């Protein structure tokens, strides 16, 4: 009698490497502060026994990812090789980078590319106009999805039931005095944005800053990212964003649809 194949979930459970998971969780916890951390800090943040955290840290040190003076631990630049591997292997980044550069040059404003990561958005590429002192969201920067134009543009991929459940479950902190946190109002806003084909957020994520975004779809219509342009409220009005920025974003997103698999 042939052997029955185990369910996928069972296979995933048996293939799970707990030590690797712990090491990755510990690496991620370095971001909760802006300086070095002690063994006790890291063990507490990861909810791991001190002995376990210590073994992981010294393994990471041997691999060149962590440095220590015997008491305090810090990440090394070698950690950036992990992010670089993602950026080099991401088709979305390679296809969209020329688009971002072209849009930024045309509008003389910074353009950005973001993807969803849980309840947050993370910015993975940007295009800047040819001027020395340009400011904008750095690669790797994270923001809550619910109050950002890129986040709302991507959340529109969910059907109304899924979207309502996700909004109700996610953490919705007030970022500015203009942040909308009510899940019913957010649901209505994202549904309206879905119909319009773009999202415009005005001073909800950061004070004095507004942005406009459109979803980026792959060949089959699935939303895989969002591109945006933003500016300080004193420089660019919402009307100008719609009139001048939106056509550039829409043209860029539509132009790469057939290239994304």
């Amino acid at each position: 009698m042939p052997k029955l194949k185990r369910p996928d979930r069972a296979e995933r459970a048996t293939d799970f490497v707990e030590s690797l998971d712990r090491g990755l969780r510990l690496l991620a916890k370095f971001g909760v502060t802006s300086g070095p951390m002690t063994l006790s800090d890291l063990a507490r943040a990861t909810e791991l026994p001190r002995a376990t955290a210590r073994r992981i840290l010294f393994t990471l040190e041997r691999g060149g990812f962590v440095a220590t003076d015997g008491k305090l631990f810090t990440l090394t630049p070698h950690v950036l090789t992990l992010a670089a591997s993602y950026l080099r292997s991401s088709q979305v980044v390679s296809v969209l980078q020329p688009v971002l550069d072209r849009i930024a040059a045309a509008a003389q404003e910074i353009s950005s590319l973001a993807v969803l990561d849980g309840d947050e958005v993370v910015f993975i590429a940007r295009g800047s106009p040819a001027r020395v002192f340009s400011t904008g969201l750095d690669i790797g920067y994270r923001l809550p999805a619910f109050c950002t134009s890129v986040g709302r543009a991507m959340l529109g991929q969910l059907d109304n039931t899924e979207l309502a459940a996700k909004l109700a479950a996610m953490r919705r902190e007030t970022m500015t005095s203009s942040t909308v946190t009510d899940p019913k109002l957010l649901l209505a806003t994202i549904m309206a944005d879905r119909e319009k084909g773009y999202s415009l957020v005005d001073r909800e994520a950061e004070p004095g800053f507004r942005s406009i975004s459109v979803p980026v779809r792959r060949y089959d219509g699935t939303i895989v990212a969002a591109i945006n342009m933003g500016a300080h409220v004193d420089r660019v009005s919402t009307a100008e964003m719609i009139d001048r920025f939106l056509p550039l974003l829409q043209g860029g997103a539509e132009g790469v649809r057939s290239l994304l698999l």
Side-chain angles (χ1 to χ4, degrees), residues 26-28 30-31 34-37 42 56-69 72-84:
L26 190 145
L27 274 177
F30 275 95
S34 59
M37 300 181 72
L42 289 160
I56 293 172
L57 284 167
F58 285 117
T59 300
L60 292 171
E61 182 191 21
R62 185 167 183 176
F65 295 99
V66 168
T68 181
D69 61 3
L72 296 174
F73 295 85
T74 58
L75 295 180
T76 71
H78 190 54
V79 171
L80 295 176
T81 59
L82 301 176

Side-chain angles (χ1 to χ4, degrees), residues 129-211:
R131 58 191 185 198
V132 177
F133 298 109
S134 62
T135 59
L137 300 173
D138 293 329
I139 294 174
Y141 192 72
R142 289 175 173 269
L143 284 170
F146 79 93
C147 63
T148 56
S149 61
V150 284
R152 290 179 183 175
M154 289 184 281
L155 288 171
Q157 173 87 344
L158 303 174
D159 65 40
N160 294 346
T161 301
E162 292 175 316
L163 179 57
K166 187 171 183 64
L167 290 170
M170 71 171 52
R171 191 174 181 179
R172 303 180 307 279
E173 291 185 347
T174 299
M175 306 290 288
T176 74
S177 60
S178 301
T179 306
V180 176
T181 58
D182 179 76
K184 292 183 179 179
L185 183 53
L186 286 168
L187 175 62
T189 300
I190 296 173
M191 289 170 59
D193 289 349
R194 182 200 295 150
E195 292 299 314
K196 293 185 297 185
Y198 71 90
S199 174
L200 197 158
V201 170
D202 193 1
R203 293 168 284 192
E204 290 192 47
E206 297 183 85
F209 189 84
R210 58 171 60 108
S211 69

